Amino acid sequence: MVGPGEVDDELQPEVVDESGKYGEVVKVIIYEFPQGVMEEEETVRIFVEFQRVESAIKALVDLNGRYFGGRTVRGAFYNLDKFRRLHLMDDI
């Protein structure tokens, strides 16, 4: 959704608002990798935890492949234990 250096204070509320269309959002974490660690298109990861798995499925189906700000959104499910331990750099 955004590239390196494009994360700002407005991004998280925007993600919560947009994700809320699919169901109750529990948590949003925006993680920006240190420079040079990942390819540019993977530098920023946005994690959204929903209250219900059905909401997550709807969001993934609708958002994966969608264009946002000139970038293609790539969605995937992430291991819940890793997410809760904030191990956010693992392969998706």
Side-chain angles (χ1 to χ4, degrees), residues 1-4 6 40-42 65-73:
M1 291 180 65
V2 297
E6 296 177 349
E40 182 178 330
E41 64 269 5
E42 297 181 19
R66 182 170 147 187
Y67 288 96
F68 180 88
R71 297 181 182 276
T72 303
V73 176

Side-chain angles (χ1 to χ4, degrees), residues 28-85:
V28 171
I29 296 176
I30 300 171
Y31 182 78
E32 188 168 359
F33 284 83
Q35 273 190 328
V37 174
M38 299 291 284
E39 294 182 35
E40 182 178 330
E41 64 269 5
E42 297 181 19
T43 301
V44 178
R45 288 186 177 173
I46 300 174
F47 297 86
V48 181
E49 180 181 7
F50 287 93
Q51 182 67 36
R52 299 176 46 90
V53 72
E54 295 85 1
S55 300
I57 292 169
K58 284 192 286 186
L60 180 63
V61 167
D62 193 44
L63 297 173
N64 190 40
R66 182 170 147 187
Y67 288 96
F68 180 88
R71 297 181 182 276
T72 303
V73 176
R74 290 182 22 202
F77 288 106
Y78 197 74
N79 181 287
L80 186 58
D81 289 332
K82 290 179 182 180
F83 173 76
R84 290 192 173 151
R85 289 181 304 192

Side-chain angles (χ1 to χ4, degrees), residues 4-19:
E6 296 177 349
V7 175
D8 60 21
D9 292 338
E10 296 175 15
L11 183 58
Q12 185 172 10
E14 288 175 7
V15 171
V16 170
D17 186 50
E18 184 67 26
S19 300

